[in-house]
Amino acid sequence: MPRWDIFCTVIDNYGDIAVTWRLARQLVAEHGINVRLWVDDLHPLAALYPGIDSGALRQTLCGVEVCLWPADFPDVEIADVVIEAFACDIPDNYIAAMAASAVKPRWINLEYLSAEDWVAGCHRLPSPHPRLPLVKHFFFPGFTPDTGGLLREHGLIDRRRAFQASATAQREFWTQLGISPDPAACKISLFGYENPALPALLQAWVDNPTPICCVLPDSRLSPQVSAFFGENKPWQRGNLTMHRLSFLDQDSYDQLLWACDMNFVRGEDSFVRALWAGQPFIWHIYPQADNAHHAKLNAFLALYQRGLNSGSAVQLTSFWHCWNQLPSGTLNWQAWQSTYPQLKYHHEAWVEQLIQQADLAINLVKDQ
């Protein structure tokens, strides 16, 4: 059985560990690979998968050997394939062991997701080590066949469609959350980073002519929502009813995206899961210095809008730009809502194209 090591450092959010944990589980379950996942902080992973002991040095869950990555890294047997997720630095003694091995492991730098044009040209490019007899290869996730693809477990789309076709499954899910949405309400999930546009959006939902049921998984938006409602309990004003949830594990969060009519997401992991949910969504991209994330946002919008009528494309761009603090954006909730049928049809068609491509795990395995 091939052995893979995946290294992941947790920075300030859940995205890096969320992606690597999904990848590790899929490699084990669908490709029979022996995976060891090295993580420098297990507390965020414990939020995503509550069965994890955040203090254990080693444990096996879902077939994945999860190891705490200590500052003083031990001498361990190297793997056949080594993945450094999102440009983290593999320990020096591990690299030295790789160089000393008679059979060099495949060394992959798994990059962040982007729709920018240059990604396809850089995908799989070699990067020789400046001093050691090792070569690292860049591996870029992406939305086109000439990139590494997106994480998508086998049968994910079928499970999602079955859930969305079953009123019983959805009713049971809402009951588990302790929520009874108004049948006439637009159901929205709200997950993101701090956002100055949020108060205006909440007020637009309060003034909406029809009911809105908004579900708020715990995130950096939670304090803003709490400040908006003040001492009011429950969180209900006008036609807006808010439901605050504790942090959801990955499987429950997937179902929340499936159950809602519209999803606000952030970063990379929830962004990709919103794509597979088959519903219109709004993405809060991870902010970067010098607004470098604006180019990434616009690159995705350009790709995503292909085939969408011009009027809906304008509303989509304007709303996304405002949500991401681009000066060209306008938060026009009513205009956005009016384009919903066109956006839903377009999104479903776009997903149909994406699922014709191989997923990220398959492409990684084929690349070895």
Side-chain angles (χ1 to χ4, degrees):
M1 180 183 295
R3 295 171 297 116
W4 290 34
D5 272 345
I6 303 176
F7 289 84
C8 175
T9 56
V10 177
I11 303 176
D12 62 347
N13 285 295
Y14 292 88
D16 293 1
I17 185 56
V19 171
T20 52
W21 174 236
R22 287 191 195 274
L23 174 62
R25 287 193 295 170
Q26 187 178 357
L27 289 171
V28 169
E30 299 181 14
H31 299 279
I33 292 172
N34 187 343
V35 177
R36 188 165 50 181
L37 175 62
W38 294 94
V39 186
D40 65 345
D41 182 0
L42 293 176
H43 289 89
L45 184 52
L48 296 168
Y49 191 84
I52 285 179
D53 180 354
S54 59
L57 296 179
R58 292 175 184 266
Q59 57 197 302
T60 300
L61 292 161
C62 301
V64 178
E65 184 181 0
V66 180
C67 303
L68 183 64
W69 177 354
D72 185 13
F73 196 81
D75 292 327
V76 297
E77 184 179 2
I78 63 170
D80 304 303
V81 177
V82 179
I83 297 178
E84 55 180 36
F86 314 118
C88 67
D89 294 321
I90 293 177
D92 290 340
N93 58 329
Y94 192 97
I95 293 177
M98 291 166 58
S101 176
V103 179
K104 303 295 186 285
R106 179 74 167 175
W107 185 6
I108 297 171
N109 179 7
L110 179 62
E111 286 284 353
Y112 288 101
L113 174 64
S114 178
E116 294 171 286
D117 291 340
W118 57 266
V119 165
C122 294
H123 177 55
R124 302 182 75 248
L125 282 182
S127 176
H129 194 280
R131 294 179 293 100
L132 300 174
L134 293 170
V135 178
K136 177 165 52 178
H137 287 81
F138 294 100
F139 202 94
F140 281 86
F143 306 91
T144 57
D146 49 5
T147 65
L150 302 172
L151 277 176
R152 185 182 78 248
E153 308 91 274
H154 179 73
L156 173 67
I157 304 301
D158 289 339
R159 292 196 301 275
R160 185 261 290 176
R161 287 172 175 163
F163 177 89
Q164 291 175 334
S166 171
T168 301
Q170 294 178 61
R171 184 168 55 252
E172 290 175 352
F173 173 73
W174 289 117
T175 299
Q176 291 171 6
L177 296 182
I179 298 173
S180 300
D182 182 337
C186 175
K187 297 182 291 295
I188 300 173
S189 75
L190 179 63
F191 185 61
Y193 309 112
E194 301 91 338
N195 199 317
L198 180 61
L201 178 62
L202 294 177
Q203 188 59 51
W205 289 349
V206 168
D207 299 333
N208 199 61
T210 55
I212 289 179
C213 172
C214 182
V215 181
L216 180 74
D218 189 39
S219 75
R220 284 155 56 177
L221 286 175
S222 300
Q224 283 186 270
V225 176
S226 182
F228 179 85
F229 283 97
E231 299 299 322
N232 294 344
K233 295 292 177 64
W235 283 352
Q236 196 283 325
R237 187 185 300 173
N239 261 332
L240 171 61
T241 302
M242 298 282 300
H243 299 275
R244 185 172 184 175
L245 302 177
S246 58
F247 199 92
L248 294 175
D249 64 78
Q250 286 185 322
D251 293 340
S252 297
Y253 183 68
D254 280 346
Q255 288 189 308
L256 177 64
L257 297 176
W258 300 349
C260 287
D261 303 301
M262 188 180 307
N263 297 298
F264 285 72
V265 293
R266 75 181 197 193
E268 181 167 327
D269 182 63
S270 61
F271 166 48
V272 173
R273 304 314 281 192
L275 287 175
W276 300 136
Q279 304 285 30
F281 72 110
I282 297 91
W283 181 31
H284 196 177
I285 190 171
Y286 185 77
Q288 293 179 284
D290 302 322
N291 292 326
H293 58 295
H294 290 176
K296 294 182 179 180
L297 180 76
N298 285 327
F300 176 74
L301 280 170
L303 186 67
Y304 182 62
Q305 290 176 4
R306 292 177 185 173
L308 183 63
N309 69 73
S310 59
S312 297
V314 167
Q315 296 301 332
L316 174 70
T317 299
S318 182
F319 199 98
W320 280 39
H321 277 187
C322 181
W323 195 242
N324 286 276
Q325 290 88 63
L326 274 71
S328 55
T330 302
L331 192 78
N332 189 332
W333 168 250
Q334 294 300 330
W336 166 267
Q337 198 174 32
S338 70
T339 66
Y340 182 87
Q342 292 79 22
L343 291 174
K344 181 170 176 60
Y345 177 83
H346 174 76
H347 186 88
E348 291 174 341
W350 205 73
V351 169
E352 281 296 325
Q353 295 178 13
L354 278 184
I355 62 177
Q356 304 308 313
Q357 302 173 26
D359 66 72
L360 180 66
I362 287 177
N363 285 330
L364 278 167
V365 171
K366 286 169 54 180
D367 200 54
Q368 308 318 310

